[in-house]
Amino acid sequence: MNIQAKILVVEDEGIVAKDIENRLQKFGYHVCKTVATGEDAIAQISELKPDLVLVDIRLQGDMDGIAVAQFLHHHFELPVVYLTASSDEYIVTRALATHPFGYIVKPFREQELKTTIEIALNKYLVEQNLKQNKYWLRTVLKSINNGVIASDTEGKITLMNPIAEALTGWNRQDACGKEATEVVKIIPTQTISEHPIQQALQKGITVEISERSQLIDKNGLEIPIDDSIAPIKDDRGNIVGTMLVFQDISERQQVEAMHQKQIEQEQMLVQMEKMHELKDDFLSTVSHELRTPIANMKMAIQMLKTSPSSEKRQRYLEILQAECNREAELITELLDLQRLETASYPTLVQEAVNLQEWLPQIMEPFLIRAQENQQLLEIRLDPNLSQILTDRASLERAIAELANNACKYTPMGGAIVVSVQPQLAPCTAYQLPTTRTIFTVRNQAEIPATELPKIFEKFYRIHNSDRWKQGGTGLGLTLVQKLVEHLQGTLQVESQEGWTTFTMELPDEQGAVISDR
């Protein structure tokens, strides 16, 4: 570093800044500028390009001298010398973390300033030379196991290592002096107007070679390669050539393809195992649900044969009837779900349903059940409801299943609210107003957030949530979802603040209110 090195002074005290500038000029240095704030220094650093920065630790503005030095170190690798009136241990520790090239405590002697600057400039020069040598060494070491081809500023080959000879099919004697683009023929992954070597020479940038690029050797064989082509620059930043580093990745691609295939097979195996688990769970559950009513029916029949009184025989007949109904309902549910999934369910049969009369009838058994469980079941019907056109059977099954779930999972003393209300849809001057019907089933029981997305999956049951130990196949909500789709409606669920709410909305053509007034 010669004596004409450019120095930027960052000092907010004008008199001190002028004194430093005079001293530096006396030493023979060129003071490119004096600024008072760290922000000004950073804003002008690219334009000024100083060789060294003298910065006061305490500055005006939001940035102190240490923050400025840290920024310059990380973004410009410039040597910094601190000027400060403080020798506080904390400040010194912060300053040392920015790797300064000097630390001068005010007031300082003129010789001290001169010596510190000379040492800093020489230290910086040594570090830059070491860094440059390090870069060269790193490049050489990286190239040992790869093909390496160097070219001059005209794009002609000047160097080729043995691996590059093997991959291109050219020997070094024949290749040297030839155009690099003639020896290194690359099929890129996308259409480009320039060869990567030409791009590196003309633009001075490193050009990456995609893993899907192909190198065509002298015999026409295509070899998958990757790596990069980088410009070679001298100390002044002038481009003096290019360095192409590449490698054959055929084996890597084969390994990656095999690994990917293995991952896919493992994923398929996991899915198959999950399907088997679901199947086994389903078969186990259905088997249990099917056998239990049959066992109860066998017991009732046996007791009927031996029962001495008509009262007990009547009781056993009732058990037999209930178990027969339970068995039939389970089989019907399984068959209906299968038909809904295969789109073979009966088509919609619309009929007028008077909600004011229909819903209380549907909910009557659930009112009795809620009383037995010491639950509060409330039915809320909007007074403006009259009749709707819908598939009565499908709607009845969906509402009954949701009410059954509410009774099943609501604790003793909890509340259940079943409500129906019309909702006017937007209309225009050329359309009559239409109405949608909203069915809501709410109960005091919260479903964990992690479980909520899964509740409509077949055979899925929330662990430890069946308060009344009534059992089930895990098909109820799946069936409800399919039934609502069959009705061309939408079904949503939310669970928060101790309540779970299922909302079913029928579209205009299904939920249109028919006035009977």
Side-chain angles (χ1 to χ4, degrees):
M1 186 70 65
N2 61 47
I3 199 68
Q4 292 299 322
K6 296 189 296 181
I7 298 177
L8 171 65
V9 178
V10 187
E11 172 62 62
D12 59 355
E13 294 183 20
I15 297 176
V16 176
K18 188 63 178 177
D19 178 64
I20 293 174
E21 181 179 357
N22 292 335
R23 291 172 186 260
L24 293 176
Q25 290 174 348
K26 178 181 177 181
F27 299 155
Y29 295 115
H30 172 61
V31 178
C32 55
K33 195 157 189 179
T34 299
V35 296
T37 67
E39 289 82 354
D40 288 343
I42 290 173
Q44 300 180 55
I45 198 73
S46 297
E47 179 182 351
L48 297 174
K49 296 181 180 179
D51 299 309
L52 183 140
V53 179
L54 286 176
V55 58
D56 189 4
I57 290 181
R58 299 188 183 277
L59 295 171
Q60 299 176 8
D62 295 330
M63 298 182 69
D64 65 3
I66 296 177
V68 174
Q70 189 173 23
F71 182 90
L72 297 178
H73 175 71
H74 286 298
H75 294 82
F76 297 91
E77 298 183 345
L78 285 173
V80 174
V81 173
Y82 286 116
L83 299 173
T84 180
S86 174
S87 58
D88 179 79
E89 184 177 351
Y90 172 73
I91 293 178
V92 173
T93 302
R94 281 187 60 210
L96 290 176
T98 63
H99 307 286
F101 282 67
Y103 193 98
I104 303 175
V105 179
K106 299 177 183 177
F108 51 82
R109 297 188 301 274
E110 185 175 277
Q111 186 60 37
E112 180 184 2
L113 176 63
K114 181 180 180 181
T115 302
T116 301
I117 292 175
E118 289 177 354
I119 293 174
L121 290 171
N122 280 283
K123 180 182 177 183
Y124 178 67
L125 179 62
V126 171
E127 285 192 4
Q128 290 301 105
N129 290 334
L130 289 174
K131 189 175 294 184
Q132 187 177 26
N133 291 334
K134 182 179 179 181
Y135 289 153
W136 275 102
L137 180 60
R138 184 183 302 170
T139 302
V140 172
L141 291 175
K142 182 180 178 182
S143 304
I144 290 176
N145 293 321
N146 296 343
V148 178
I149 296 177
S151 70
D152 58 20
T153 54
E154 297 180 354
K156 294 182 179 180
I157 293 177
T158 57
L159 180 146
M160 175 183 266
N161 72 348
I163 294 179
E165 290 181 286
L167 291 176
T168 62
W170 288 78
N171 60 50
R172 183 173 51 189
Q173 290 78 11
D174 293 338
C176 285
K178 288 186 176 295
E179 294 286 341
T181 54
E182 180 184 348
V183 176
V184 185
K185 297 181 179 180
I186 298 176
I187 304 177
T189 56
Q190 57 185 2
T191 303
I192 55 175
S193 58
E194 295 178 318
H195 191 283
I197 292 177
Q198 294 173 331
Q199 291 185 58
L201 275 174
Q202 295 175 9
K203 299 179 181 179
I205 60 173
T206 298
V207 181
E208 301 292 335
I209 301 176
S210 169
E211 291 184 359
R212 293 185 294 276
S213 297
Q214 302 284 330
L215 171 70
I216 303 177
D217 71 4
K218 194 174 184 180
N219 300 316
L221 179 66
E222 294 185 6
I223 303 170
I225 62 170
D226 81 341
D227 225 312
S228 62
I229 302 172
I232 302 173
K233 299 181 180 180
D234 61 16
D235 294 343
R236 298 180 180 179
N238 299 318
I239 298 174
V240 296
T242 63
M243 180 72 71
L244 166 61
V245 182
F246 60 102
Q247 59 181 320
D248 182 355
I249 60 171
S250 303
E251 185 176 346
R252 186 209 300 175
Q253 288 185 343
Q254 293 174 0
V255 171
E256 289 176 351
M258 292 176 61
H259 181 61
Q260 182 61 33
K261 186 175 181 179
Q262 182 181 0
I263 292 175
E264 293 174 355
Q265 290 176 343
E266 290 175 353
Q267 290 175 343
M268 185 178 298
L269 181 61
V270 170
Q271 292 177 353
M272 291 178 64
E273 289 177 351
K274 184 177 181 180
M275 290 177 63
H276 281 303
E277 289 176 2
L278 290 173
K279 178 183 175 182
D280 292 343
D281 182 53
F282 170 65
L283 291 176
S284 175
T285 302
V286 171
S287 175
H288 172 75
E289 293 296 328
L290 290 173
R291 288 177 180 176
T292 300
I294 292 175
N296 291 337
M297 284 188 283
K298 286 182 178 180
M299 178 198 70
I301 293 172
Q302 185 66 32
M303 297 303 294
L304 276 171
K305 292 179 179 179
T306 59
S307 179
S309 67
S310 60
E311 183 180 344
K312 288 187 177 181
R313 284 196 297 272
Q314 180 62 32
R315 175 57 182 158
Y316 293 133
L317 283 172
E318 292 173 357
I319 294 174
L320 186 60
Q321 180 65 49
E323 295 300 330
C324 284
N325 292 339
R326 178 181 172 188
E327 188 80 1
E329 288 173 3
L330 177 58
I331 294 172
T332 300
E333 185 176 282
L334 290 170
L335 294 176
D336 284 347
L337 183 59
Q338 178 65 22
R339 287 196 293 266
L340 283 165
E341 289 183 335
T342 57
S344 59
Y345 198 73
T347 56
L348 287 171
V349 179
Q350 291 190 6
E351 59 181 301
V353 178
N354 189 323
L355 294 174
Q356 299 285 3
E357 298 176 358
W358 171 80
L359 190 62
Q361 293 174 359
I362 296 300
M363 298 307 298
E364 184 175 351
F366 297 103
L367 285 167
I368 298 172
R369 181 172 165 186
Q371 289 175 359
E372 293 175 349
N373 293 341
Q374 298 183 34
Q375 299 163 333
L376 177 62
L377 174 56
E378 181 182 357
I379 301 173
R380 299 176 182 174
L381 292 172
D382 190 286
N384 296 319
L385 283 174
S386 180
Q387 293 182 341
I388 62 170
L389 287 177
T390 188
D391 187 321
R392 180 194 293 264
S394 297
L395 179 59
E396 183 172 319
R397 292 193 66 185
I399 293 295
E401 186 61 44
L402 291 175
N404 177 62
N405 267 13
C407 291
K408 184 176 179 180
Y409 297 116
T410 302
M412 184 182 298
I416 303 169
V417 180
V418 179
S419 61
V420 186
Q421 62 181 6
Q423 183 182 74
L424 289 176
C427 62
T428 67
Y430 304 99
Q431 292 179 330
L432 293 174
T434 57
T435 305
R436 298 176 182 176
T437 306
I438 311 297
F439 297 82
T440 305
V441 179
R442 303 182 69 228
N443 68 301
Q444 277 187 298
E446 187 169 344
I447 301 174
T450 55
E451 305 279 353
L452 199 60
K454 307 174 185 177
I455 61 173
F456 292 109
E457 295 179 6
K458 287 190 295 186
F459 322 127
Y460 187 80
R461 291 185 293 265
I462 301 174
H463 299 296
N464 301 321
S465 61
D466 189 354
R467 302 175 184 275
W468 305 100
K469 307 300 179 184
Q470 296 172 6
T473 62
L475 296 174
L477 289 177
T478 307
L479 183 60
V480 171
Q481 188 179 52
K482 294 296 181 181
L483 286 168
V484 174
E485 291 176 3
H486 181 64
L487 290 168
Q488 300 176 10
T490 59
L491 179 65
Q492 295 180 341
V493 59
E494 60 179 10
S495 190
Q496 56 186 354
E497 298 180 356
W499 285 82
T500 296
T501 304
F502 286 88
T503 303
M504 182 174 64
E505 178 179 330
L506 296 184
D508 296 343
E509 59 271 16
Q510 294 292 320
V513 173
I514 303 175
S515 175
D516 58 357
R517 299 178 184 177

